[in-house]
Amino acid sequence: MTDNSQLNSNMTASDLIGSPSANENAGSQTTAYVATESNRRERRLLIRAAVASVPVVLTFTAGKARAQDASVKDSAASPAAQDEPPMAPAQDNKLGAPAEDGELTPAEKLETFGLQRTDSGSSEDPFRDLDTVSEPVDLNNP
Amino acid sequence: MTPTLKWRLTSESGLRWRHWADRSLVFNPVSGDTHMLDITARTGLASLEAGPKSGEEMCQHMLAELGLDPGTDLRLYVARLLGHFRELGLVEKAPS
């Protein structure tokens, strides 16, 4: 489980993606660990798409995978959803309101970023529209 | 002035990682669970291995590590990520 001989947690995402110089120097000796330019581009697009969506984390407990992706959890067709109690009613997104499962409370979100919210909602508050789905990212037209 | 909340890993002994090109497995010795993360979630969690961080500090770390445009707003993503990680027992609030 702790086999970090080739890759370790100190590696940056760029290390995993592969660097252009490493690729150029590899020549015909290119290995599976050296990403091609095309792969790097694709990987960067995937990263940009990922940060614009809900984080996906799969959990393996006693051999059973459980999806933490909210969109999967909401799906009635999902086996994981069938094992879980019904979702709680939507909470009013106000300071002091309890958080839904897997969410920070509105107050925690602000404190995490050192922000302060006024009653009418501050213009610097990035979480006013937290419950709305993010606009899809047009990867061809950033 | 709103105090800034910092987050830290629940495991004092650290996490056990195994990486592939775009996925990582992480074992949490506190919960006994193993989680599979994509590269963005991995970068966010790994940023806390150096010590407690605020949301803004996590954003800066992720922008640099992922090679994203410095103007990219990751706050919403990081807030959701921290919510998921707390539910899984991977992170907790650091004492102020």
Side-chain angles (χ1 to χ4, degrees):
Chain A
M1 193 61 232
T2 59
D3 179 9
N4 292 329
S5 56
Q6 287 182 307
L7 300 168
N8 60 60
S9 61
N10 293 325
M11 295 184 78
T12 65
S14 296
D15 292 329
L16 295 173
I17 292 168
S19 68
S21 58
N23 199 18
E24 287 161 8
N25 295 336
S28 60
Q29 302 289 315
T30 303
T31 70
Y33 293 106
V34 180
T36 64
E37 182 64 35
S38 169
N39 286 344
R40 277 195 298 275
R41 258 200 311 273
E42 183 180 339
R43 196 70 51 75
R44 290 192 188 286
L45 289 175
L46 287 174
I47 288 171
R48 289 180 53 203
V51 299
S53 62
V54 177
V56 178
V57 181
L58 291 176
T59 299
F60 302 89
T61 302
K64 175 183 171 186
R66 183 164 61 94
Q68 293 296 320
D69 180 348
S71 63
V72 175
K73 195 188 289 184
D74 289 345
S75 168
S78 164
Q82 294 170 5
D83 293 339
E84 294 176 358
M87 294 283 287
Q91 300 287 346
D92 191 6
N93 192 18
K94 291 178 180 174
L95 280 179
E100 295 189 34
D101 289 346
E103 294 261 351
L104 303 185
T105 65
E108 285 172 337
K109 288 168 192 163
L110 295 176
E111 289 173 16
T112 294
F113 293 93
L115 298 174
Q116 201 160 16
R117 173 185 274 180
T118 63
D119 289 341
S120 58
S122 164
S123 60
E124 69 169 345
D125 178 0
F127 306 113
R128 281 177 302 170
D129 302 321
L130 186 68
D131 293 330
T132 63
V133 177
S134 301
E135 288 291 322
V137 176
D138 182 356
L139 298 177
N140 296 318
N141 186 21
Chain B
M1 183 70 184
T2 305
T4 301
L5 178 60
K6 294 202 174 196
W7 295 83
R8 68 179 183 185
L9 298 178
T10 54
S11 171
E12 293 180 357
S13 60
L15 302 168
R16 312 287 189 272
W17 293 90
R18 182 151 187 183
H19 303 291
W20 286 266
D22 58 357
R23 290 284 186 276
S24 296
L25 283 179
V26 59
F27 173 72
N28 180 5
V30 174
S31 66
D33 288 342
T34 301
H35 311 282
M36 179 179 283
L37 313 179
D38 64 14
I39 195 168
T40 49
R42 183 201 88 88
T43 305
L45 185 60
S47 73
L48 299 177
E49 291 195 304
K53 280 189 173 55
S54 68
E56 199 59 46
E57 289 167 336
M58 285 182 67
C59 286
Q60 294 305 318
H61 178 93
M62 292 179 70
L63 287 175
E65 288 287 305
L66 296 170
L68 294 170
D69 184 327
T72 307
D73 189 351
L74 292 180
R75 289 180 290 186
L76 184 55
Y77 179 84
V78 167
R80 287 171 167 164
L81 200 58
L82 285 170
H84 280 306
F85 286 160
R86 179 171 66 177
E87 186 182 31
L88 295 172
L90 285 164
V91 305
E92 62 188 3
K93 295 177 188 177
S96 51

